[in-house]
Amino acid sequence: MVRVAILGATGYSAKEAIRLLLAHPHAQITALTTRQDDLPHLGDVHPSLRGRLDLRLENLNAAQLAERADCAFCCLPHAASAEVIKEILPLGMRAVDLSADYRLNDPAVYKKWYDHDHPDAARMAKTVYGLPELYRERIPKSQLVANPGCYPTSTILPLAPLLKAGLISPDGIIVDSKSGVSGAGRTPKLNFHYPEANESFSAYGVGTHRHMPEIDQVLSDFGGKTTEVIFTPHLVPMDRGILTTTYSTPTKPVDAATILAELRKFYANEPFVRVVDGLPTTKDVTNTNYCDLTARVVRGRVVTISVIDNLIKGAAGAAVQNFNLMYGFEETTAL
């Protein structure tokens, strides 16, 4: 049995991680942390989990965490997560980091996009990017895995195989993503307030969203050629889910059947990627760890459409998937 601590247990991703791990036959949640002054019971923070786990959220230092847990699911904000991780790893703990702290390899790029120096810069380039469909062989021996962002997951999964196969050009890729409000986290903000977000549809972070360098880095690494996308996220008035549409230029004349065949070949043995003929919707994957995706060719451009649940495949579900690989459990356990 692997003892698990959930760091930053008040948020939406933490709630989903707890819910999934409670059904995991090889995991035992032994600690929940908060940076708040009060130490509430889990059932008061997440009422849907009342009666399922009798633990309070606590302020625990690194030594206390290492004594009580073998692995940490870090659901803390960026910078705060790295501050904790750099202390618990030398004590023998393993970690799946759901923040953005270890997704980027270059400290200078991190500083440009996050406006501060990285607290644990030396570890950045050594950390495995936890997208099993691309980097599965690197995950099992890792002490620390960087869980991918939700938007990058929905973007990388349809594009990476096509770049790897040389079917699309790495230049001029446009990514258009729409996310439910839970993607912004649980901390109240004016533009996510119900009267502001309901019955409205808005773009944000145009050219400045922090997931853009993450997408560029992974596609460049996996595809073998420098790739820079134009990424535009949108806020949709629904609780959860992401739908991402990408537009790219084929390297030679191609039809949709060829693109779909390549995607099906690449994901033939992947338990959580489903290549579908029809147009997928966010409801098709709600509360699951699946990514459903498809492709079309429209006026000489390759168009892909993918959907995920931003809190599961885009966060907690992917973290459990990585946890399973790290400890040698069946990858689909609890998912």
Side-chain angles (χ1 to χ4, degrees), residues 73-108:
F73 278 50
C74 300
C75 303
L76 295 163
H78 65 268
S81 189
E83 291 285 3
V84 176
I85 285 174
K86 71 179 184 181
E87 294 184 357
I88 64 174
L89 294 189
L91 298 178
M93 289 188 69
R94 304 178 80 180
V96 181
D97 183 27
L98 281 77
S99 84
D101 278 351
Y102 295 95
R103 295 173 188 162
L104 298 175
N105 294 334
D106 188 339

Coordinates of all heavy atoms in Angstrom, one line a residue, residues 73-108:
F73 N 0.8 14.2 -4.0 CA 0.1 14.8 -5.1 C 0.1 16.3 -4.8 O -0.6 16.7 -3.9 CB -1.3 14.3 -5.3 CG -1.4 13.0 -6.0 CD1 -0.7 11.9 -5.6 CD2 -2.3 12.8 -7.0 CE1 -0.8 10.7 -6.3 CE2 -2.5 11.6 -7.7 CZ -1.7 10.5 -7.3
C74 N 0.9 17.1 -5.5 CA 1.1 18.5 -5.2 C 0.1 19.3 -6.0 O 0.2 19.5 -7.2 CB 2.5 18.9 -5.5 SG 3.7 18.0 -4.6
C75 N -0.9 19.8 -5.3 CA -2.0 20.6 -6.0 C -1.9 22.1 -5.6 O -2.9 22.8 -5.6 CB -3.4 20.0 -5.6 SG -3.6 18.3 -6.0
L76 N -0.7 22.5 -5.2 CA -0.4 23.9 -4.8 C -0.2 24.8 -6.1 O 0.1 24.3 -7.2 CB 0.8 23.9 -4.0 CG 0.7 23.2 -2.6 CD1 2.1 22.9 -2.0 CD2 -0.1 24.0 -1.7
P77 N -0.3 26.1 -5.9 CA -0.1 27.0 -7.0 C 1.4 26.9 -7.4 O 2.3 26.5 -6.7 CB -0.4 28.4 -6.4 CG -1.2 28.1 -5.2 CD -0.8 26.8 -4.7
H78 N 1.7 27.5 -8.6 CA 3.1 27.5 -9.1 C 3.9 28.3 -8.1 O 3.4 29.2 -7.4 CB 3.2 28.1 -10.5 CG 2.8 29.5 -10.6 ND1 1.5 29.9 -10.9 CD2 3.5 30.6 -10.5 CE1 1.5 31.2 -11.0 NE2 2.6 31.7 -10.7
A79 N 5.2 28.0 -8.0 CA 6.2 28.5 -7.0 C 6.0 27.9 -5.7 O 6.9 27.4 -5.1 CB 6.1 30.0 -7.0
A80 N 4.8 27.9 -5.1 CA 4.5 27.3 -3.8 C 4.8 25.8 -3.9 O 5.3 25.2 -2.9 CB 3.1 27.6 -3.3
S81 N 4.4 25.2 -5.0 CA 4.6 23.7 -5.2 C 6.1 23.4 -5.1 O 6.6 22.5 -4.4 CB 4.0 23.3 -6.5 OG 4.0 21.9 -6.5
A82 N 6.9 24.1 -5.9 CA 8.4 23.8 -6.0 C 9.0 24.0 -4.6 O 10.0 23.3 -4.3 CB 9.0 24.7 -7.0
E83 N 8.6 25.0 -3.9 CA 9.2 25.2 -2.6 C 9.0 24.0 -1.7 O 9.9 23.7 -0.9 CB 8.5 26.4 -1.9 CG 8.8 27.8 -2.5 CD 10.3 28.3 -2.2 OE1 11.0 27.5 -1.6 OE2 10.6 29.4 -2.7
V84 N 7.9 23.3 -1.8 CA 7.7 22.1 -1.0 C 8.4 20.9 -1.5 O 9.0 20.1 -0.8 CB 6.1 21.8 -0.8 CG1 5.9 20.5 -0.1 CG2 5.4 22.9 -0.1
I85 N 8.3 20.8 -2.9 CA 8.9 19.6 -3.5 C 10.4 19.5 -3.3 O 11.0 18.4 -3.1 CB 8.5 19.6 -5.0 CG1 7.1 19.2 -5.2 CG2 9.5 18.7 -5.8 CD1 6.6 19.3 -6.6
K86 N 11.1 20.6 -3.4 CA 12.5 20.6 -3.2 C 12.9 20.2 -1.8 O 14.1 19.8 -1.6 CB 13.1 22.0 -3.6 CG 12.8 23.1 -2.6 CD 13.5 24.4 -3.0 CE 13.3 25.5 -2.0 NZ 13.9 26.8 -2.5
E87 N 12.0 20.2 -0.8 CA 12.3 19.8 0.5 C 11.9 18.3 0.8 O 12.6 17.7 1.5 CB 11.5 20.7 1.5 CG 12.0 22.1 1.5 CD 11.3 23.0 2.6 OE1 10.4 22.4 3.3 OE2 11.6 24.1 2.8
I88 N 10.9 17.9 0.1 CA 10.4 16.5 0.4 C 11.2 15.4 -0.4 O 11.3 14.3 0.0 CB 8.9 16.3 0.2 CG1 8.5 16.5 -1.2 CG2 8.2 17.3 1.2 CD1 7.0 16.3 -1.5
L89 N 11.6 15.8 -1.6 CA 12.3 14.8 -2.4 C 13.6 14.3 -1.8 O 13.8 13.0 -1.8 CB 12.6 15.3 -3.8 CG 11.4 15.6 -4.7 CD1 11.9 16.0 -6.1 CD2 10.4 14.5 -4.8
P90 N 14.4 15.1 -1.2 CA 15.6 14.6 -0.5 C 15.3 13.7 0.7 O 16.2 13.0 1.2 CB 16.4 15.9 0.0 CG 15.9 16.9 -1.0 CD 14.5 16.6 -1.2
L91 N 14.1 13.7 1.2 CA 13.7 12.9 2.3 C 13.1 11.5 1.8 O 12.7 10.8 2.6 CB 12.6 13.6 3.1 CG 13.1 14.9 3.8 CD1 12.0 15.6 4.5 CD2 14.3 14.7 4.7
G92 N 13.2 11.3 0.5 CA 12.8 10.0 0.0 C 11.4 9.9 -0.6 O 11.0 8.9 -1.1
M93 N 10.7 11.0 -0.5 CA 9.3 11.0 -1.1 C 9.4 11.1 -2.6 O 10.3 11.6 -3.2 CB 8.5 12.1 -0.5 CG 8.1 12.0 0.9 SD 6.9 13.2 1.5 CE 5.5 12.8 0.6
R94 N 8.3 10.6 -3.2 CA 8.1 10.8 -4.6 C 6.9 11.8 -4.8 O 6.2 12.0 -3.8 CB 7.8 9.5 -5.4 CG 8.9 8.4 -5.1 CD 8.5 7.1 -5.8 NE 8.8 7.2 -7.2 CZ 8.6 6.1 -8.1 NH1 8.1 5.0 -7.6 NH2 8.9 6.2 -9.3
A95 N 6.8 12.4 -6.0 CA 5.8 13.4 -6.1 C 5.3 13.4 -7.6 O 6.0 13.3 -8.5 CB 6.3 14.8 -5.7
V96 N 4.0 13.7 -7.7 CA 3.3 14.1 -9.0 C 2.9 15.5 -8.8 O 2.1 15.8 -7.9 CB 2.1 13.2 -9.3 CG1 1.5 13.6 -10.6 CG2 2.5 11.7 -9.3
D97 N 3.5 16.4 -9.6 CA 3.2 17.9 -9.4 C 2.2 18.3 -10.4 O 2.4 18.3 -11.6 CB 4.5 18.7 -9.6 CG 4.3 20.1 -9.3 OD1 3.4 20.5 -8.6 OD2 5.1 21.0 -9.9
L98 N 1.0 18.8 -9.9 CA 0.0 19.3 -10.7 C 0.1 20.7 -11.0 O -0.7 21.3 -11.8 CB -1.4 19.0 -10.1 CG -1.9 17.5 -10.2 CD1 -1.2 16.6 -9.3 CD2 -3.4 17.4 -10.0
S99 N 1.1 21.4 -10.5 CA 1.3 22.8 -10.8 C 2.1 22.9 -12.1 O 2.5 21.9 -12.7 CB 2.0 23.5 -9.7 OG 3.4 23.3 -9.8
A100 N 2.4 24.1 -12.5 CA 3.3 24.3 -13.7 C 4.7 24.3 -13.4 O 5.5 24.6 -14.3 CB 2.8 25.6 -14.4
D101 N 5.1 24.1 -12.2 CA 6.5 24.4 -11.8 C 7.6 23.6 -12.5 O 8.7 24.1 -12.7 CB 6.7 24.2 -10.3 CG 6.2 25.5 -9.5 OD1 5.9 26.5 -10.2 OD2 6.1 25.4 -8.3
Y102 N 7.3 22.4 -12.9 CA 8.4 21.6 -13.5 C 8.0 21.1 -14.9 O 8.7 20.3 -15.5 CB 8.6 20.3 -12.6 CG 9.2 20.7 -11.2 CD1 8.3 20.8 -10.1 CD2 10.5 20.9 -11.1 CE1 8.8 21.2 -8.9 CE2 11.0 21.2 -9.8 CZ 10.2 21.3 -8.7 OH 10.7 21.7 -7.5
R103 N 7.1 21.8 -15.5 CA 6.7 21.4 -16.9 C 7.7 22.0 -17.9 O 8.0 21.4 -18.9 CB 5.3 21.9 -17.2 CG 4.2 21.3 -16.4 CD 2.9 22.0 -16.7 NE 1.8 21.5 -15.8 CZ 0.7 22.1 -15.5 NH1 0.5 23.3 -16.2 NH2 -0.2 21.7 -14.7
L104 N 8.2 23.2 -17.6 CA 9.2 23.8 -18.5 C 10.6 23.4 -18.2 O 10.9 23.2 -17.0 CB 9.0 25.3 -18.5 CG 7.7 25.9 -18.9 CD1 7.6 27.4 -18.7 CD2 7.3 25.5 -20.4
N105 N 11.5 23.3 -19.2 CA 12.8 22.9 -19.0 C 13.8 24.0 -18.7 O 14.8 23.9 -18.0 CB 13.4 22.1 -20.2 CG 12.7 20.8 -20.4 OD1 12.1 20.2 -19.5 ND2 12.6 20.4 -21.6
D106 N 13.5 25.2 -19.2 CA 14.4 26.3 -19.2 C 14.0 27.4 -18.1 O 12.9 27.9 -18.2 CB 14.4 27.0 -20.5 CG 15.5 28.1 -20.7 OD1 16.0 28.6 -19.6 OD2 15.9 28.4 -21.8
P107 N 14.8 27.6 -17.1 CA 14.5 28.6 -16.1 C 14.2 30.0 -16.6 O 13.4 30.7 -16.1 CB 15.7 28.6 -15.2 CG 16.3 27.3 -15.4 CD 16.1 26.9 -16.8
A108 N 14.9 30.4 -17.7 CA 14.7 31.7 -18.3 C 13.3 31.8 -18.9 O 12.6 32.8 -18.8 CB 15.8 32.0 -19.3

